[in-house]
Amino acid sequence: MGCMMNKQKGIRILAVGRALPGKSLSNRDLEKMVDTSDDWIYERTGIRNRYRCSIEDVNTLAAAAAKEAIEKSGIDPGEIGVLIVATSSGKYVFPSAAAMVQKELGLSERILCFDLSAACSGFLYAINAARGLLRDSKKPYALVIGSEQLSRLVDYTDRNTCILFGDGAGAVLFRLSEKEFYHVSFTEGNKEALYIGGIGSDIRYLQMNGREVFRFAVKAMERVIEELLMQSGKRLEEIDHVICHQANARIIQSVSRKHPGLEPRFYMNIERYGNTSAASIPIVLSELEEVGRLQGTTCLMTGFGAGLSYGGILAEL
Ligand code: ACO
């Protein structure tokens, strides 16, 4: 590792891609499946629609999102040295989704390539991990993907959970830079609030204590915002976008209300996608890039999920 690389603590995003399944699942569709209503779901969660895989899966969504990012960036894909897929709903136990993306996109075999499991916190953990690995890599680029098919892990007869989740993927291609970058991460070692059994278990579907997760999420994201602002010496007024994991609009509003006047900086697209777990933050990043509002901005990103895990990144992108 050269000394010059050590100075590069930050990241520069070259391009972002996203992929959604072809079929959507609206609140009206769910009304036909469980005892619920469009009004109840929208009022309690802010969700109207989400996507659900039919022919797609975690691997194909991840590859499609990554392909878009690589094509937009114009880089030589052979120069990607690190590839991480954050997912908890992979098609196979092994091989990893990352290995399948490497094959599908014909990337170099000289690549550090693996999946990372940290539920909805996974994408931000993966960005941070890839950034660390890139500092010791001979190749300049990292590809970090959040890809999920939560619909595989949800019981569509359980109205408490099936209304919340959607499938999708987002991919970010970046290199190191000397821009500002701060991060925090926490884990509480809690299984009760959010849990799915492993191979051979009878608990095949997501078990959740919604109220407990709600309370935890608000506190967790408030803590992350406070710590990142303290670390960076910035005020929230200096942050262009606050990107929270999109789990419930009311969770995000509970956090944003603590910052009167700055609520519009808290990005929200949950209405269209539901909670896509590790894919939610990169899908937001792809939407911001599409309208030219990503590169050159300062973003505070914060995620939380099973574990209970949570964390965040404050970075100039
Ligand atoms: N339609 C109609 N009624 C419903 C539905 C539904 N889909 N779901 C629950 N209800 C009922 C309940 O049965 C309950 O009825 P009761 O009072 O007769 O018992 C009533 O509505 C109120 O239920 P609550 O659980 O109190 O509703 P709440 O306002 O807390 O909203 C929700 C529930 C939306 C799940 C909320 O708690 C939440 O979003 N929590 C966070 C969940 C989350 O973010 N999970 C993902 C974490 S990330 C990861 O790692 C996967």
Side-chain angles (χ1 to χ4, degrees):
M1 184 166 61
C3 293
M4 206 185 77
M5 295 298 268
N6 274 330
K7 277 202 277 176
Q8 299 191 308
K9 293 209 165 108
I11 63 171
R12 183 159 80 82
I13 292 184
L14 302 168
V16 191
R18 70 170 179 273
L20 282 316
K23 288 198 175 150
S24 59
L25 184 68
S26 68
N27 291 352
R28 297 276 179 221
D29 296 328
L30 284 163
E31 285 176 354
K32 295 176 203 135
M33 298 161 72
V34 287
D35 180 14
T36 191
S37 68
D38 177 37
D39 283 349
W40 192 97
I41 300 172
Y42 188 68
E43 273 166 28
R44 300 288 179 122
T45 70
I47 302 167
R48 288 255 191 238
N49 189 57
R50 74 285 292 140
Y51 292 85
R52 188 177 176 187
C53 291
S54 49
I55 52 170
E56 307 85 354
D57 59 50
V58 161
N59 298 342
T60 61
L61 289 174
K67 189 164 183 275
E68 187 185 313
I70 293 170
E71 282 174 4
K72 272 194 204 162
S73 74
I75 63 141
D76 169 4
E79 291 296 296
I80 298 173
V82 180
L83 162 53
I84 306 180
V85 179
T87 186
S88 301
S89 51
K91 183 173 185 185
Y92 312 126
V93 172
F94 54 75
S96 66
M100 296 297 93
V101 171
Q102 183 270 349
K103 175 174 190 275
E104 180 64 27
L105 301 188
L107 302 180
S108 165
E109 60 180 33
R110 283 187 191 274
I111 190 166
L112 182 51
C113 179
F114 60 94
D115 289 358
L116 184 151
S117 159
C120 306
S121 309
F123 175 76
L124 293 181
Y125 285 16
I127 287 278
N128 204 20
R131 165 185 157 270
L133 293 167
L134 212 48
R135 294 175 78 195
D136 200 21
S137 167
K138 293 194 172 63
K139 296 184 180 182
Y141 304 115
L143 183 58
V144 173
I145 308 168
S147 183
E148 299 278 18
Q149 187 182 354
L150 261 283
S151 63
R152 294 176 76 201
L153 308 180
V154 168
D155 175 0
Y156 282 91
T157 65
D158 175 11
R159 68 177 183 174
N160 291 296
T161 53
C162 74
I163 55 147
L164 293 171
F165 298 97
D167 301 336
V172 170
L173 187 65
F174 69 88
R175 63 177 304 154
L176 296 174
S177 82
E178 288 179 22
K179 296 181 184 198
E180 288 192 72
F181 187 101
Y182 306 91
H183 64 95
V184 283
S185 43
F186 304 93
T187 298
E188 293 187 357
N190 171 309
K191 166 171 149 294
E192 284 65 40
L194 270 170
Y195 166 69
I196 304 179
I199 297 163
S201 163
D202 292 337
I203 316 292
R204 288 171 45 222
Y205 295 118
L206 188 139
Q207 312 291 309
M208 178 181 79
N209 180 333
R211 285 184 195 180
E212 188 185 341
V213 174
F214 194 111
R215 279 194 299 269
F216 150 74
V218 173
K219 272 204 212 126
M221 294 201 292
E222 284 175 357
R223 181 177 188 188
V224 168
I225 291 172
E226 197 183 305
E227 291 215 9
L228 287 173
L229 291 177
M230 211 144 70
Q231 260 193 56
S232 63
K234 291 192 190 300
R235 292 173 301 122
L236 204 63
E237 285 80 353
E238 298 170 75
I239 307 298
D240 298 298
H241 307 292
V242 182
I243 304 169
C244 297
H245 167 47
Q246 307 282 307
N248 182 324
R250 281 167 51 227
I251 293 178
I252 299 175
Q253 283 153 359
S254 300
V255 178
S256 68
R257 267 203 304 271
K258 308 266 165 62
H259 304 279
L262 299 175
E263 293 93 335
R265 301 198 189 182
F266 287 71
Y267 195 93
M268 261 206 273
N269 64 9
I270 189 167
E271 181 170 347
R272 285 170 280 138
Y273 304 110
N275 176 349
T276 57
S277 194
S280 89
I281 291 175
I283 290 174
V284 169
L285 295 176
S286 78
E287 290 193 344
L288 284 170
E289 187 192 56
E290 213 163 59
V291 294
R293 293 176 59 212
L294 183 65
Q295 280 89 348
T297 66
T298 301
C299 291
L300 194 161
M301 300 172 265
T302 168
F304 64 89
L308 289 167
S309 58
Y310 58 109
I313 290 172
L314 191 165
E316 282 179 0
L317 300 176

